[in-house]
Amino acid sequence: MDIVVKGRKTEVPERFRKHVAEKLNLEKIQKLDAKVISLDVEVSKEPNPRQADRCDRVEITLRSRGPVIRAEAAASDPYAALDMAAEKLGARLRKQHDKRFSRRGARRISAAEVPDHVPGAATLNGNGLPVHEEETDGVPTKKIGSLEVKGEGPLIVREKTHVASPMSLDQALYEMELVGHDFYLFVDVETKEPSVVYRRHAYDYGVIHLSTDPMVAEAQPPAAGGTLGG
């Protein structure tokens, strides 16, 4: 297995690629997860000078026959960001490894118990900072919530498509903690409908289920062009 290093709207020097190979020890990773399929490292740069202390972002994505594990971090240079992301990846790999080997004979845990079994679960969010797209000089800037947007928008920070296998609520909570996000979109194994589990205050969690009502869909008139119905 090779490590794939790529830049998003930035060049990745050969020196950094060598550093990635040294920092991410494949032999050590495969001891924790022998079914690793791929390991991708994406480097991006924030051009806003006010974001200088976290202008370089590194995202590591590990895919295996089990759940995807992702870790990301931002710092003032890509080497520091890589070090932080690698530490998070190692911690999540060890959690998955420990769970896999302690699963036999262990009971399922509830959502309320997740923080007790996953130390630091409520704070691991990949720094939780939005990824801004490349900005163009001379374009007006406006504030939308905590984000700065140039131009008229609409604001699309990043768009991704994932293949989803139906899973239980407990498994969705576990995988949310593995990727370090505050929410996780999944297909409920019982209803086969899309659902979202998310982190609320402190150690509380919430879940939103979507269901399709054919009667409502048929009764609703078509929306005008360029707008959303409902």
Side-chain angles (χ1 to χ4, degrees):
M1 181 190 69
D2 295 326
I3 302 175
V4 178
V5 183
K6 58 185 178 180
R8 186 162 65 89
K9 297 184 178 180
T10 186
E11 293 293 329
V12 181
E14 187 61 30
R15 177 188 173 190
F16 183 79
R17 294 178 185 273
K18 292 180 179 179
H19 183 69
V20 169
E22 295 172 357
K23 187 68 179 180
L24 300 180
N25 189 314
L26 287 179
E27 183 178 350
K28 184 176 180 180
I29 289 175
Q30 288 174 325
K31 284 183 179 179
L32 294 172
D33 189 344
K35 299 180 179 180
V36 176
I37 298 173
S38 65
L39 187 61
D40 298 330
V41 177
E42 183 180 271
V43 184
S44 59
K45 195 170 186 67
E46 168 58 63
N48 190 336
R50 284 175 289 185
Q51 304 279 347
D53 59 334
R54 52 181 182 272
C55 61
D56 288 286
R57 178 173 292 273
V58 173
E59 179 179 303
I60 306 173
T61 303
L62 185 148
R63 293 180 175 86
S64 69
R65 295 179 187 176
V68 174
I69 301 178
R70 183 175 291 109
E72 59 182 316
S76 57
D77 67 81
Y79 294 91
L82 175 65
D83 290 347
M84 294 165 60
E87 287 181 7
K88 292 180 180 180
L89 180 72
R92 290 168 189 169
L93 266 173
R94 287 189 291 273
K95 289 175 186 176
Q96 185 194 34
H97 178 270
D98 293 343
K99 179 183 178 181
R100 185 166 56 246
F101 280 89
S102 62
R103 183 174 298 171
R104 292 183 179 180
R107 65 179 180 87
R108 302 284 295 197
I109 64 173
S110 66
E113 295 176 298
V114 169
D116 297 331
H117 293 264
V118 185
T123 59
L124 287 179
N125 60 358
N127 282 351
L129 299 173
V131 180
H132 297 283
E133 291 295 328
E134 187 175 11
E135 300 175 351
T136 306
D137 293 336
V139 179
T141 302
K142 59 184 177 181
K143 291 281 288 186
I144 298 181
S146 60
L147 301 179
E148 289 186 356
V149 183
K150 285 201 170 187
E152 296 298 323
L155 174 67
I156 300 178
V157 176
R158 184 181 298 180
E159 183 176 350
K160 291 185 177 181
T161 301
H162 297 281
V163 178
S165 299
M167 65 180 64
S168 66
L169 174 60
D170 283 350
Q171 183 64 23
L173 282 168
Y174 173 66
E175 299 210 21
M176 180 182 73
E177 300 300 348
L178 279 181
V179 298
H181 290 172
D182 291 329
F183 69 93
Y184 191 82
L185 177 64
F186 68 103
V187 177
D188 191 283
V189 70
E190 295 182 0
T191 65
K192 301 301 187 292
E193 297 284 357
S195 302
V196 174
V197 64
Y198 61 95
R199 184 179 291 110
R200 301 180 72 249
H201 304 293
Y203 298 110
D204 293 336
Y205 296 87
V207 60
I208 299 173
H209 299 287
L210 296 182
S211 62
T212 304
D213 189 337
M215 300 296 292
V216 174
E218 291 177 4
Q220 191 168 11
T227 64
L228 294 176

